Amino acid sequence: TDMKGYLQIGPEPAEHRERRRLTEADFIKMSREAGVIVLDARSKQKYDELHIKEAVNLSFPDITVDSLAKMFPDKNAKILIYCNNNFVNAEDAFPRKMAAASLNISTYISLYTYGYRNIYELGPLLDVKTTKLDLVTSKKEATLATIPE
């Protein structure tokens, strides 16, 4: 492994990321643009429990040269990311992590390292019960309104 290389690239994506964190409204607006990809890098199990409608799932451990080339062959494609730390009131689907260990950070750095630069990230912490994002389960593609509290 190349820890020195990883640490050397760190400041560059961090600066890039600061200018690309989106409000809920901007995330929704951008997600509706043609060709935009919403990426959920959580485990398949958590994704299936609850995710943003039409998001694609590529679990973080499965982010590789080959998987990225297959799923996102255009490195200029606009990719929106979100993670557990963007949502509250659904601990099973979105378990909390320490902010410094957020999956958004790891995913952002990985995509950046692999040459993707058109990355944006959902910034705020949102309540699953009041968010304007359309959250669904894979089991039924039911909206959050049909999920028991």
Side-chain angles (χ1 to χ4, degrees), residues 86-89 125-132 135 144:
N86 287 119
F87 297 98
V88 294
N89 288 325
L125 178 63
L126 303 169
D127 187 325
V128 296
K129 294 177 171 96
T130 58
T131 182
K132 291 179 178 71
L135 299 174
L144 184 60

Side-chain angles (χ1 to χ4, degrees), residues 46 83-99 101-103 123-126:
K46 297 301 180 191
C83 77
N84 293 332
N85 284 16
N86 287 119
F87 297 98
V88 294
N89 288 325
E91 287 298 313
D92 288 345
F94 296 106
R96 303 288 299 149
K97 291 187 171 214
M98 290 181 61
S102 167
L103 186 58
L125 178 63
L126 303 169

